[in-house]
Structure formats: C-alpha cells, structure tokens
Amino acid sequence: MSGDDHAAGQDVTQEQDTLVPDGAESVGPVRVGPVQVEALGPEQLELVLAALYEAPREAVAWMAQACTDAWVAFERHEPLGPDGEPLPDGTREVVLGAVGTRPSPAHGSELLGGVLGGPRRAGAAAALARAAWERAGRVYAFAEGHLFPPEALIEAGFREVGAYRRLEGRVPYRHVDAPEGVTLRPLAEVSVPARLEALAAFEDRVGHHAAAPEAAQDGGGGFDSHLSVVALDAEGRGVGVCRAAVEDGVGRIDAPGVTVAWRHTNLRAALLNSVNARLRAAGITRVSVDSWGDTPEELAHDLRLGLHVADETPILAFP
C-alpha cells in the first residue's frame, strides 16, 4: 500500500501467488498475490471503517480517533499479458479489511473494524488480529460474523471470554431491596462525580471502556436521568448504576454495573428492579436489556425474570 504514514508491507501468509479470472477489471487472467498487512493512518482507517459499517466517514470518525494503532490487509492484483507477464502499470491493491486497537481499562485493546466479504476474509482476519496482538499484547473482538468471522479467530488462538447480549421481554416485576448501607437515587439527583464513580463500575468487565465525562451528564448516551438509577454508599460514593431510556415505547436498559466491593450482594438485582419500577410507572410494558461481559450467574438471574436472549455476539480474546 502506498502512503507516507504506511509501514513497509509484510507477507503474512504462506500462500503462493494464484491466477484467477478478473472479468470486471481485465479481459485476461490476473495474478493475485498473498495477503499482506501494513500499518494504517487514522484518515485511511476512517475510509475503511466507513466501507465496513456502510456509514458516512463522520459517523465512524470517533472510532478511528479512539484507536492507538491500525492496520490494513490487502492483496495485489497483477493483470497478465498474452505472454503471461504482468502488464506495465496494471497492478492494483485490493483492500480486504482493517482493524484499529482501542485501549480497554482491564482487557488490553478492543479490535475495531473487520474484514470485507470474499474468499480470503478468514486469512485477512487472522493476519490483522496477529498484527494487532503483536503490537498491543492482549486484544479482544466482538466476533460479529460479517466483520470478524469467529472461526478464523478461534483457529488463530482466540478464546471466548464473554458476550454482548440483548435480552427482551415484558417489564419484570420482582421487588428487591438495596443492601444495607446503600441508597438508590435517580441519576438526576446525583452529583456528576458520583455518577462517574458509578459508571467506573463497568471498567473491569470485558467489552467496556473508561467512562468519558460526557457520559455522566444528563442525557449522556441517550439515557433518561430520571429513569436511570445510581447506588450510593454511606459516604455518598457511586457504587453502582443502571441506565434506562424509552425508545419507540420500549424501555432500553443497560444491564446494571456494580463495583467489585458490592458484587457479592444483591445490589445488581436491586438496581434493575428500581429501574423496572420506574418504567412500569411510566406505562412501559416491554424492555430491551443490553449487556457486555456479564457473568453466567448474572445472565441466569435475568433469564429467571422472564427475559429471553434476542441477540448474542461472542467476545473473543487473545491470549
């Protein structure tokens, strides 16, 4: 790949060059070289992310800016003449995918991006993942099949460490009192520093990132500060949070986060109950609950409330 901020390309496969017909671009055969990976600058990463997510560049700009490093996978196509030799000035470079590394507080870096469709997407995914972990150490990815084929990552040594899930169902009713020493308050009535303390409860869970100050403002993340609930300890510190909003008549909830010191208690259940009660009071009858990296025990609790898994994406990590 050309570009001043690209590193020298490296061959990351053992495949030999192959000849394939390429009727859309040439009347003759085309030699396709091996998958290669090079470092990528933020502006170029934006371009590939926009193609991967089928979104405008401005919609994915924040993703590129959040990444500390990035790489692109590509292959070279060389049209051949009648004598079997490459045609002059005919070589083109075909992008197969790209990834960037977004630092995580406790789990290395998340891989943002993915690979485009095509016969070499598995090899490109493995090559990009390898480049990322060699640079960043531990990495993880949401293995959405159209971006990161899970089979390719598992073959490359990744293992499942959690999942994103969306649970749906009727608004549960199961009254749970907060544990002694904790008070539940609407987010709107809690100071911004305490809100940030509560949001930090998620940071050791895979799939989460450090809470930005704007997330603690009223309306942050699109959540309703009057439906959302914060748990405060006896000193007024935020030790848990459950955020909610109403979209198209359905309650949208982020699964509760609780600081490590309180996870042995029923605080998570109490937070979820408090938000559900506020949704019922607002006339909401159905909920959608998003979670990242929840434990099997937490999932089992939510399923016992009558919710069901509507969507699930594994989170795969290496090493």
Side-chain angles (χ1 to χ4, degrees), residues 28-318:
V30 173
R31 176 185 294 152
V32 178
V35 175
Q36 299 182 64
V37 169
E38 288 184 357
L40 195 64
E43 291 188 4
Q44 289 82 6
L45 178 60
E46 275 186 28
L47 287 171
V48 184
L49 291 177
L52 286 166
Y53 293 102
E54 298 181 345
R57 282 187 64 175
E58 55 268 23
V60 299
W62 71 268
M63 300 173 67
Q65 294 163 6
C67 293
T68 55
D69 296 282
W71 299 265
V72 62
F74 65 98
E75 61 189 11
R76 287 191 171 93
H77 288 195
E78 292 183 308
L80 304 180
D83 58 357
E85 293 299 317
L87 296 174
D89 302 322
T91 299
R92 63 190 182 96
E93 294 166 339
V94 178
V95 172
L96 304 175
V99 299
T101 48
R102 180 188 183 191
S104 166
H107 295 274
S109 294
E110 177 187 356
L111 298 184
L112 298 179
V115 291
L116 299 163
R120 283 185 158 180
R121 65 192 313 267
L128 287 167
R130 184 180 303 114
W133 85 58
E134 287 178 351
R135 171 70 174 176
R138 189 180 189 194
V139 294
Y140 70 88
F142 289 89
E144 300 174 90
H146 66 291
L147 293 175
F148 288 108
E151 298 83 1
L153 296 185
I154 290 171
E155 287 182 9
F158 280 65
R159 59 187 177 86
E160 187 170 349
V161 295
Y164 157 78
R165 296 184 184 90
R166 186 179 75 251
L167 276 58
E168 295 180 348
R170 292 187 60 82
V171 178
Y173 177 81
R174 181 178 296 177
H175 182 75
V176 181
D177 290 322
E180 186 175 352
V182 172
T183 303
L184 302 184
R185 300 280 298 277
L187 187 144
E189 300 176 7
V190 176
S191 70
V192 169
R195 297 179 189 184
L196 278 171
E197 289 174 336
L199 289 169
F202 293 106
E203 291 185 3
D204 68 320
R205 292 293 181 88
V206 66
H208 287 275
H209 294 276
E214 53 267 26
Q217 302 300 317
D218 287 348
F223 292 102
D224 188 320
S225 60
H226 297 279
L227 294 175
S228 305
V229 175
V230 173
L232 302 174
D233 66 9
E235 286 74 40
R237 294 172 298 200
V239 295
V241 63
C242 185
R243 297 185 294 172
V246 176
E247 294 181 354
D248 299 322
V250 176
R252 175 174 68 92
I253 301 174
D254 262 10
V258 175
T259 57
V260 174
W262 290 92
R263 288 182 188 164
H264 68 286
T265 72
N266 65 351
L267 179 54
R268 181 185 184 278
L271 281 163
L272 188 57
N273 168 74
S274 181
V275 167
N276 286 333
R278 291 176 179 277
L279 289 170
R280 286 195 301 273
I284 303 302
T285 61
R286 299 196 65 81
V287 293
S288 172
V289 182
D290 293 308
S291 68
W292 294 262
D294 278 8
T295 66
E297 294 76 18
E298 291 164 344
L299 173 61
H301 168 271
D302 296 346
L303 295 177
R304 287 195 297 269
L305 294 178
L307 302 174
H308 67 274
V309 177
D311 189 19
E312 184 174 49
T313 300
I315 302 174
L316 305 181
F318 182 92

